[in-house]
Amino acid sequence: MSSERTSQSGASGPPLPPTDVRWPPHRIHSLPLRTTCRIVRQVVGEMVLLFGDRVLVRRDRRRLACHVRQIAMYVCHVALRISQTDIGEAFGRDRTTVRHACHVVEDRRDDPVFDDFISAIERIVVAVFGTLEVAAHDG
């Protein structure tokens, strides 16, 4: 019936979505792990550029990239519950690097402003991907 409503030339408004589509339509278990981690890294990068320290952004882009990667690794591990080994493979790093990143971010969460920033990123990532739905590494 929805196809009849969307195909009519006299219909007003945007076409209605199909009723069999679940929200959100792109669940994390349908994405490769590397893609999921890349999206999380992009979200973190955009948030840092929006709300981060402008002086740091202009002065040292290499350090900024390191911080973004560390936060993304932390959020993938804590919010999405991906193993450190899988995160390391997705980022092209070792699991010990992921463990170090998690410790660095956790230590910085003592600062209330930084903690609020990380909490906001975690909420965004969980809202987009859900939680406990990441497929385990297959081999």
Side-chain angles (χ1 to χ4, degrees), residues 101-119:
C102 290
H103 286 296
V104 167
V105 173
E106 194 64 44
D107 289 344
R108 290 184 65 196
R109 289 194 82 163
D110 291 336
D111 175 14
V113 173
F114 186 77
D115 184 56
D116 289 344
F117 178 73
I118 297 299
S119 294

Side-chain angles (χ1 to χ4, degrees), residues 1-9 11-21:
M1 178 161 193
S2 65
S3 62
E4 292 174 1
R5 285 187 284 179
T6 58
S7 63
Q8 294 174 350
S9 60
S12 61
L16 297 173
T19 57
D20 61 341
V21 174

Side-chain angles (χ1 to χ4, degrees), residues 28 33 36-37 40-41 44 68-88 90-91 95 97-106 109 118 121-122 125-126 129-134:
I28 193 163
L33 190 61
T36 300
C37 290
V40 171
R41 186 178 187 170
V44 171
V68 167
R69 185 174 55 248
Q70 287 176 335
I71 294 169
M73 288 176 173
Y74 175 83
V75 170
C76 284
H77 182 62
V78 172
L80 298 180
R81 300 173 193 232
I82 303 172
S83 74
Q84 291 179 349
T85 302
D86 289 343
I87 294 169
F91 279 92
R95 67 175 174 77
T97 304
V98 178
R99 188 176 68 213
H100 172 72
C102 290
H103 286 296
V104 167
V105 173
E106 194 64 44
R109 289 194 82 163
I118 297 299
I121 293 173
E122 288 174 340
V125 167
V126 168
F129 294 112
T131 186
L132 295 173
E133 296 186 20
V134 179

Side-chain angles (χ1 to χ4, degrees), residues 19-38:
T19 57
D20 61 341
V21 174
R22 290 181 10 195
W23 180 254
H26 56 289
R27 299 307 289 180
I28 193 163
H29 64 328
S30 65
L31 293 174
L33 190 61
R34 187 173 297 233
T35 302
T36 300
C37 290
R38 184 178 48 82

Side-chain angles (χ1 to χ4, degrees), residues 41-61 64-65 67-68 71 117 121:
R41 186 178 187 170
Q42 185 67 33
V43 167
V44 171
E46 292 297 327
M47 293 288 288
V48 167
L49 289 176
L50 281 173
F51 302 108
D53 184 6
R54 296 288 181 193
V55 175
L56 176 64
V57 171
R58 281 190 227 123
R59 190 181 66 202
D60 193 355
R61 290 199 181 271
L64 176 67
H67 288 302
V68 167
I71 294 169
F117 178 73
I121 293 173

